[in-house]
Amino acid sequence: MKHISKFTFSIALVLVSLLTQAQVTTEKDSIAPKMERYGLRVGVDLFKLTRSFYEDKYRGLELVGDYRLTRKHYLAAEIGNEDKTVDDEQLNFSTKGSYVRVGFDYNAFENWLDMENQIYVGLRYGFSTFSHTLNSYTIYDSNHYFGIPTEVQSGEEFKGLTAQWMEVVAGVKAEVFNNVFVGFSFRLNRLISQKEPNNFENLYIPGFNKTYGGEFGIGFNYSVSYFIPIYKSKVKPKEKEEPKK
């Protein structure tokens, strides 16, 4: 009788174990695999757009976009134009031109559920073509003890100027509405090459901004963009690491 009881208990234990495993397997199979969206995101830089309204001597527009290549990597590009008058201590000149920046971003943020936010770093190559118009310049009479300044009206134009640079980018993008993202980024630029007028340096380059020390610049971007989904891809689950023996 004892043996029959033990045998019955053993069978019951095995059946419970099999039913439990089947239930777990069914639950796993019933969970839909996580899907992530891939596509194109396009937008505009609100910083340059609004700056054109409150700064009299500035007009600018920049379009931004990126395309998701992998879970973490994005192709990115910006294209724009600027028209700005710079009033320096000795020079007053207007700069007008267009630019393009291309590169990539790496998303370091681990999203959960269906979030598609970014905390990213990136790299860009920039190229600008522009012109300067020298409105006026100041000369000083060295024969006078106090060096009396004299303003000279010019109007001379310098065309066919170019510049190339690299920039490091760090920024954030967050989805505020369905497919609508807002974000901002900071940029540190370094000139690779530039073509300058004979009379003065390129103190301002469209897309690069004001130059510091002749080859460095900084930039800021505040954008709103819309995501256009193209396809979805299944997220592969991470493989569990086997315990070390």
Side-chain angles (χ1 to χ4, degrees):
M1 195 70 179
K2 280 186 178 181
H3 295 291
I4 294 174
S5 299
K6 288 182 179 180
F7 180 75
T8 304
F9 177 78
S10 299
I11 291 177
L13 188 62
V14 171
L15 288 174
V16 170
S17 178
L18 288 173
L19 289 172
T20 304
Q21 289 180 9
Q23 183 179 2
V24 171
T25 303
T26 304
E27 289 177 356
K28 286 184 177 180
D29 292 340
S30 64
I31 298 174
K34 183 179 179 182
M35 305 292 289
E36 288 191 337
R37 302 188 303 170
Y38 289 74
L40 179 67
R41 183 164 39 198
V42 293
V44 63
D45 179 8
L46 294 179
F47 177 67
K48 284 185 173 61
L49 191 62
T50 55
R51 185 180 174 187
S52 301
F53 292 100
Y54 66 78
E55 189 174 327
D56 294 335
K57 297 181 179 180
Y58 178 86
R59 293 292 181 271
L61 176 66
E62 179 177 294
L63 303 178
V64 301
D66 60 45
Y67 179 78
R68 189 177 188 181
L69 286 176
T70 69
R71 291 195 69 196
K72 294 291 186 179
H73 297 87
Y74 295 74
L75 285 178
E78 298 96 21
I79 183 171
N81 63 79
E82 290 185 290
D83 185 348
K84 178 176 173 61
T85 297
V86 177
D87 192 4
D88 197 52
E89 292 181 0
Q90 295 181 322
L91 299 172
N92 182 293
F93 64 93
S94 299
T95 299
K96 180 186 295 185
S98 302
Y99 61 90
V100 61
R101 297 188 294 253
V102 293
F104 69 91
D105 293 328
Y106 175 80
N107 185 18
F109 183 71
E110 288 292 340
N111 285 296
W112 56 287
L113 296 178
D114 295 325
M115 295 171 61
E116 295 175 328
N117 301 326
Q118 288 180 258
I119 299 176
Y120 64 92
V121 293
L123 194 65
R124 300 282 191 279
Y125 163 78
F127 177 79
S128 178
T129 175
F130 55 98
S131 64
H132 290 317
T133 299
L134 181 58
N135 302 316
S136 63
Y137 59 93
T138 303
I139 59 175
Y140 293 86
D141 184 2
S142 58
N143 295 323
H144 196 276
Y145 180 77
F146 294 103
I148 298 176
T150 302
E151 185 176 86
V152 178
Q153 300 298 318
S154 175
E156 185 177 4
E157 188 173 5
F158 303 89
K159 296 182 178 180
L161 306 177
T162 60
Q164 301 180 74
W165 67 90
M166 298 296 296
E167 62 185 47
V168 178
V169 184
V172 173
K173 287 180 183 176
E175 188 175 17
V176 291
F177 302 107
N178 187 31
N179 294 333
V180 177
F181 291 78
V182 296
F184 63 87
S185 66
F186 296 96
R187 296 148 186 270
L188 177 62
N189 314 330
R190 190 182 190 283
L191 280 171
I192 300 173
S193 65
Q194 61 176 324
K195 183 179 179 182
E196 297 178 309
N198 295 327
N199 300 345
F200 59 93
E201 297 179 352
N202 290 324
L203 300 180
Y204 192 90
I205 299 172
F208 184 91
N209 299 325
K210 186 177 180 181
T211 58
Y212 296 88
E215 58 183 23
F216 289 98
I218 56 174
F220 177 78
N221 170 292
Y222 180 76
S223 64
V224 58
S225 55
Y226 185 81
F227 178 72
I228 304 171
I230 298 176
Y231 69 96
K232 292 183 178 181
S233 179
K234 186 188 298 184
V235 178
K236 295 181 179 180
K238 294 182 180 180
E239 295 182 358
K240 294 182 179 181
E241 296 183 359
E242 295 183 1
K244 297 181 180 180
K245 296 180 179 180

